[in-house]
């Protein structure tokens, strides 16, 4: 699901994006502070839901909504504003909803449950292939994903190992830094790693693979093809891909490897 978020005030936009991330963790969010940037993105970036401030300089959210609907007639427009006088105009556009500021996760969840038009999954949505047997590697459309930080790749590996289970930030920190403490410096490092991982996956068109909620993170297994997952579904068929190694570059993965070896002794 692709979601536009636009507000000309940076702090308001950050609050809006945070609320959307918490309410719809598997969505791909495109955030804009300038209407011109959003207009430029319309032809190449499909939109399912648009959360839009109404009162912006230069062009109103109402006019901007018309531009989006010209290209995506079934888009769900949700207007976000601190003013009530625009309700009538918003509804005349057959908007999906209307959110009063301040925006919260609960308000976004309520609007997502009442969308005017159903969200249709696109057949060209990208899936990720993950190789766990041997070295851990990630591919999108057959091309290896290049991670800027080794810890970002390791974080993704651990989330894959957890098979979609939600992990707390404390749990992740204990895995990535075995001798780490609970200092503010460590927490800041982890935030950087999480942000980098999400940015990396988004850059290859797979931003919906990582699910981030407050103090929690996981992977969306429905968006992933993985040799380990295929093995779990059918061990006798998957064993042909297994050669005694599982995510061999990570010491914490030895426990999972030992379990696989025990099954096939």
């Amino acid at each position: 699901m692709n979601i536009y978020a636009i507000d000309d005030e940076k702090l308001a936009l950050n609050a809006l994006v945070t609320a959307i991330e918490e309410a719809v963790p598997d969505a791909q969010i495109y955030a804009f502070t300038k209407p011109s940037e959003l207009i430029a993105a319309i032809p190449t970036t499909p939109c399912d839901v648009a959360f839009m401030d109404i009162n912006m300089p230069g062009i109103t959210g109402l006019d901007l909504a018309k531009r989006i609907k010209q290209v995506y007639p079934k888009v769900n427009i949700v207007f976000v504003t601190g003013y009530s006088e625009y309700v009538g105009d918003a509804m005349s556009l057959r908007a999906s909803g209307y959110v009063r500021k301040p925006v919260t996760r609960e308000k976004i969840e309520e609007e997502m449950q009442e969308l005017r038009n159903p969200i249709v999954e696109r057949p060209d949505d990208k899936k990720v292939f993950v190789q766990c047997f041997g070295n851990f590697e990630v591919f999108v459309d057959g091309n290896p994903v290049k991670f800027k930080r080794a810890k970002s790749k390791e974080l993704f590996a651990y989330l894959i190992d957890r098979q979609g289970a939600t992990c707390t930030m404390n749990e992740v920190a204990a895995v990535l830094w075995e001798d780490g403490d609970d200092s503010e410096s460590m927490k800041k490092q982890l935030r950087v790693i999480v942000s980098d991982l999400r940015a990396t996956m988004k850059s290859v068109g797979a931003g919906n693979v990582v699910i981030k909620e407050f103090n929690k993170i996981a992977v969306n297994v429905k968006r992933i093809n993985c040799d380990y997952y295929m093995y779990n579904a059918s061990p006798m068929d998957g064993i042909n891909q297994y050669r005694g190694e599982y995510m061999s570059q990570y010491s914490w993965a030895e426990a999972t490897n030992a379990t696989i070896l025990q099954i096939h002794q």
Side-chain angles (χ1 to χ4, degrees):
M1 181 191 309
N2 287 355
I3 296 179
Y4 287 178
I6 181 166
D7 196 304
D8 63 300
E9 296 181 4
K10 185 65 175 177
L11 291 178
L13 179 63
N14 290 340
L16 174 60
V17 169
T18 297
I20 297 172
E21 288 176 338
E22 293 175 351
V24 198
D26 60 343
Q28 185 88 351
I29 303 172
Y30 298 89
F32 308 92
T33 55
K34 297 180 180 179
S36 59
E37 295 173 345
L38 187 151
I39 292 171
I42 291 174
T44 58
T45 308
C47 181
D48 300 301
V49 186
F51 287 91
M52 308 176 61
D53 183 28
I54 293 181
N55 191 20
M56 292 184 292
I59 181 173
T60 69
L62 297 169
D63 292 332
L64 196 55
K66 293 177 183 178
R67 298 284 290 269
I68 300 174
K69 289 177 73 70
Q70 286 175 353
V71 180
Y72 308 111
K74 295 296 184 179
V75 66
N76 293 282
I77 301 293
V78 180
F79 289 109
V80 182
T81 184
Y83 305 94
S84 60
E85 63 265 28
Y86 293 103
V87 174
D89 291 336
M91 293 304 104
S92 70
L93 277 176
R94 297 184 64 80
S96 179
Y98 189 93
V99 175
R100 289 290 301 274
K101 295 179 180 179
V103 181
T104 64
R105 170 182 177 168
E106 290 74 20
K107 291 180 181 178
I108 298 298
E109 287 178 340
E110 183 177 348
E111 293 302 326
M112 293 301 297
Q113 292 170 5
E114 301 294 336
L115 293 177
R116 179 182 294 274
N117 299 309
I119 305 300
V120 179
E121 184 173 342
R122 300 179 186 83
D124 60 345
D125 280 352
K126 294 183 179 180
K127 273 196 172 183
V128 177
F129 176 76
V130 175
Q131 173 187 299
C132 295
F133 296 149
N135 280 337
F136 175 78
E137 300 295 343
V138 184
F139 303 86
V140 173
D141 290 345
N143 300 312
V145 176
K146 298 180 179 179
F147 294 84
K148 294 180 180 179
R149 292 176 168 86
K151 287 295 184 184
S152 301
K153 183 176 182 179
E154 185 175 0
L155 168 58
F156 193 55
Y158 181 69
L159 298 177
I160 292 293
D161 182 73
R162 290 298 306 275
Q163 302 180 62
T166 299
C167 305
T168 67
M169 293 297 101
N170 286 341
E171 176 187 349
V172 169
V175 171
L176 297 184
W177 296 280
E178 295 181 8
D179 57 347
D181 53 28
D182 193 29
S183 66
E184 188 58 37
S185 175
M186 184 66 68
K187 292 177 181 179
K188 182 177 180 180
Q189 289 183 59
L190 182 55
R191 287 195 293 267
V192 171
I193 295 301
V194 170
S195 178
D196 181 66
L197 171 59
R198 298 179 71 190
T200 296
M201 300 312 297
K202 183 176 181 179
S203 71
V204 296
N208 53 13
V209 166
V210 179
I211 301 174
K212 178 68 176 69
E213 299 179 1
F214 178 72
N215 201 38
K216 297 178 181 179
I217 190 169
V219 292
N220 184 351
V221 296
K222 295 180 180 179
R223 296 288 181 181
I224 296 170
N225 289 321
C226 173
D227 53 3
Y228 177 48
Y229 294 175
M230 290 186 284
Y231 162 82
N232 283 337
S234 180
M236 295 313 298
D237 293 336
I239 197 63
N240 293 327
Q241 302 178 51
Y242 177 65
R243 295 292 184 270
E245 293 184 329
Y246 171 86
M247 297 190 184
S248 55
Q249 66 263 59
Y250 305 124
S251 60
W252 50 259
E254 293 174 0
T256 300
N257 192 45
T259 300
I260 299 173
L261 286 170
Q262 186 177 14
I263 293 174
H264 293 281
Q265 281 181 347

